[in-house]
Amino acid sequence: MSEAQIVKPAPISGFPEWLPEVRRVEQQWLDLIRATYERYGFCSVETPSVEALEVLTAKGETSQEVYTLSRLQGGGASDSTERGTSEGDQRASSTANDARLGLHFDLTVPLARYVAQHFNELVFPFKRYAIGRVWRGERPQEGRFREFTQCDIDVINVDHVPLHFDAELPRIVHEVLTDLEVGGFRIGVNNRKVLQGFYAGLGIADPLGVIRIADKLDKIGAEAVGKMLETELDLTPAQVTACLELAQVRGSDASVVDVIAGLGSSGELLEVGLAELSYVLGELADLPAGSVIADLSIARGLDYYTGTVYEGQLLDAPGFGSICSGGRYDNLAGEFIRRDLPGVGMSIGLSRLFAKFVAEGRFTQAPKSPAQVLVVIPSEDRRRDALRTAAELRSRGLKVETYHEADKLGKQIRYASRKLIPYVWFPPFEDGKPHEVKDMTSGEQGPVDPATWQPAAGS
């Protein structure tokens, strides 16, 4: 191949990928999250990466973030078999702008379609978790990717989702973040009914518009949000002041209700929202002090949220962005089925959190292999003995790699050292000699029986 034909390998901005040792840690995180979700009785669901655009754009202002799907030749992404046309007809009639499919930008909208489609086959309340990649057409920056992994947990029910699920989900996520040892964190809880009711009580005609602007508070600051409220929604200075005062309210118990009551707004929807917020805080009062609080600045910009909303932050990186989020949605599946199917869900932004720790060098000493043992090849004559030994160890549940050739022992040991494999196994070099194993951490080596030997706990 000539130099002109060589394509220089380079990463694509916004699409993270990891070395094997880092990927192994990520898989351990995913296993822990999966096990925790299942411990609470949630079942796994995986939906396709692709959804119809009408599904993806059914709720919220997300169209600018959706990646559409189209063929390099022929343009359109529609499945010709579904439309009853031949591939030739499809290519002739499609253009690059008529794509009908897109990559999902979250795992909640596909869930709504899934539940509606399988309504008669599911048992409600339907408790589901989904761990998968999503895609958003955003400008890549710290903590924001175009392709990333989310870990969702949701409860959907017919007609009504009991409010205690609004408290159970942050409890589960709190357990996950604690077990992942991410450091200090705080899960903020709010309620969209409080926001909408408060704004309506101030005489604001477009409460949802205020919520969408207020959701930018942590990105552009109070002054900029205030100007947007005045110029875009024609709010009076008094209304703007009240909205910003509400966003500053924090508290870990029902005392926030009294604070909000003193800000000059009232109404039935506000009272309902405050009662729900107070209930959720009370149900989580046993968690470590300050780890779950009422935070009235949380708005969540997506239109489908209707009640409780959540956002989690790292305490040592308050400007980093949310590491978990979610909320209650009353009728997300209403676009697909004539039944009330409300739900509540939370999502852990695994890629954002994990990438931060990778950048900080927390996983530099992670093993480059899942193997616990490397079995050396003493010689070509003893290769079969080494393979039988490795098979016996694997049959007892150990993770075992066999070296790839009969090389110098020093080279084989260095291979294990570079991959941080904790043990090197030496099959008998001649008949009548015992097996031996070398502990790569302590350097100790001695005879062992492959039928009974076990590595130290944690290896």
Side-chain angles (χ1 to χ4, degrees):
M1 180 179 288
S2 68
E3 184 175 348
Q5 294 173 306
I6 295 176
V7 178
K8 183 180 179 181
I12 302 175
S13 178
F15 292 79
E17 61 182 5
W18 312 121
L19 290 171
E21 58 269 31
V22 177
R23 171 59 178 161
R24 183 167 179 243
V25 178
E26 185 183 39
Q27 287 179 307
Q28 292 170 347
W29 280 36
L30 291 169
D31 289 342
L32 184 151
I33 294 169
R34 184 179 301 109
T36 305
Y37 287 173
E38 292 184 356
R39 195 156 57 240
Y40 282 82
F42 288 76
C43 60
S44 174
V45 165
E46 184 175 49
T47 57
S49 302
V50 175
E51 295 282 349
L53 286 182
E54 61 185 9
V55 171
L56 295 175
T57 58
K59 296 281 185 179
E61 297 178 352
T62 56
S63 59
Q64 294 182 348
E65 296 183 356
V66 175
Y67 281 110
T68 59
L69 220 61
S70 62
R71 290 194 299 271
L72 181 63
Q73 300 294 328
S78 302
D79 187 335
S80 60
T81 59
E82 288 184 5
R83 300 179 68 192
T85 59
S86 69
E87 185 174 349
D89 292 339
Q90 176 68 19
R91 289 184 178 181
S93 63
S94 295
T95 68
N97 296 320
D98 72 350
R100 298 173 182 269
L101 302 177
L103 297 171
H104 56 228
F105 61 87
D106 72 2
L107 299 175
T108 306
V109 173
L111 170 65
R113 189 269 308 157
Y114 177 92
V115 171
Q117 182 177 335
H118 299 282
F119 177 79
N120 293 324
E121 303 157 280
L122 299 175
V123 177
F124 293 92
F126 180 49
K127 301 173 66 175
R128 148 278 197 197
Y129 75 87
I131 298 175
R133 296 189 176 187
V134 300
W135 295 265
R136 294 183 186 176
E138 296 188 300
R139 181 175 65 84
Q141 53 187 298
E142 183 187 19
R144 288 190 178 274
F145 303 101
R146 292 169 174 167
E147 177 184 67
F148 53 97
T149 299
Q150 285 189 330
C151 305
D152 281 24
I153 185 169
D154 289 81
V155 179
I156 290 183
N157 198 27
V158 179
D159 297 331
H160 172 67
V161 176
L163 193 60
H164 67 78
F165 284 117
D166 291 41
E168 181 176 71
L169 297 194
R171 180 180 296 278
I172 296 171
V173 170
H174 188 286
E175 184 173 323
V176 168
L177 296 176
T178 300
D179 291 344
L180 288 176
E181 299 180 346
V182 302
F185 66 90
R186 176 176 293 156
I187 298 175
V189 183
N190 198 2
N191 194 297
R192 289 280 288 257
K193 294 173 185 174
V194 172
L195 299 180
Q196 288 182 244
F198 185 88
Y199 301 149
L202 295 176
I204 296 173
D206 185 10
L208 289 178
V210 178
I211 288 176
R212 281 191 287 271
I213 293 174
D215 190 47
K216 306 176 188 295
L217 195 61
D218 63 336
K219 302 179 183 67
I220 64 176
E223 183 177 352
V225 165
K227 289 182 179 179
M228 289 181 67
L229 292 174
E230 284 190 30
T231 58
E232 296 185 17
L233 299 181
D234 294 325
L235 266 61
T236 67
Q239 289 173 327
V240 170
T241 298
C243 291
L244 295 178
E245 286 180 346
L246 177 68
Q248 295 172 8
V249 175
R250 306 286 188 278
S252 58
D253 55 39
S255 63
V256 297
V257 173
D258 297 329
V259 175
I260 296 169
L263 295 180
S265 181
S266 62
E268 183 178 351
L269 184 60
L270 174 59
E271 295 301 319
V272 171
L274 289 174
E276 292 180 358
L277 179 60
S278 178
Y279 174 85
V280 172
L281 293 174
E283 289 294 294
L284 299 173
D286 61 297
L287 295 178
S291 61
V292 176
I293 67 166
D295 183 345
L296 276 295
S297 70
I298 297 172
R300 305 299 299 155
L302 293 174
D303 289 347
Y304 57 66
Y305 290 119
T306 56
T308 304
V309 287
Y310 319 96
E311 281 191 5
Q313 308 282 338
L314 293 173
L315 295 181
D316 62 353
F320 178 68
S322 63
I323 58 172
C324 61
S325 60
R328 177 176 279 256
Y329 41 91
D330 280 345
N331 197 27
L332 192 59
E335 299 288 333
F336 314 108
I337 189 173
R338 292 184 177 179
R339 295 295 301 266
D340 287 336
L341 291 172
V344 59
M346 284 192 76
S347 177
I348 297 173
L350 181 106
S351 294
R352 168 179 287 185
L353 184 59
F354 190 76
K356 181 180 188 298
F357 289 170
V358 173
E360 293 173 354
R362 298 198 187 190
F363 309 130
T364 55
Q365 298 302 311
K368 300 177 186 295
S369 168
Q372 299 165 287
V373 180
L374 175 72
V375 177
V376 305
I377 305 293
S379 65
E380 280 300 327
D381 292 340
R382 294 282 174 173
R383 175 183 289 276
R384 290 188 178 276
D385 292 338
L387 295 176
R388 280 194 293 269
T389 298
E392 182 176 2
L393 294 173
R394 291 189 193 105
S395 72
R396 297 198 295 107
L398 300 176
K399 300 173 183 176
V400 182
E401 180 178 351
T402 306
Y403 196 72
H404 48 278
E405 59 183 337
D407 213 332
K408 294 180 180 179
L409 286 182
K411 188 173 182 180
Q412 297 188 54
I413 293 172
R414 283 195 298 274
Y415 176 83
S417 178
R418 290 186 64 194
K419 297 184 78 171
L420 298 182
I421 299 175
Y423 296 96
V424 175
W425 192 285
F426 302 93
F429 281 51
E430 57 184 78
D431 293 341
K433 297 293 184 180
H435 292 260
E436 291 191 2
V437 69
K438 179 182 179 68
D439 185 325
M440 296 294 287
T441 301
S442 67
E444 296 179 358
Q445 181 174 329
V448 288
D449 182 351
T452 58
W453 177 83
Q454 288 289 342
S459 298

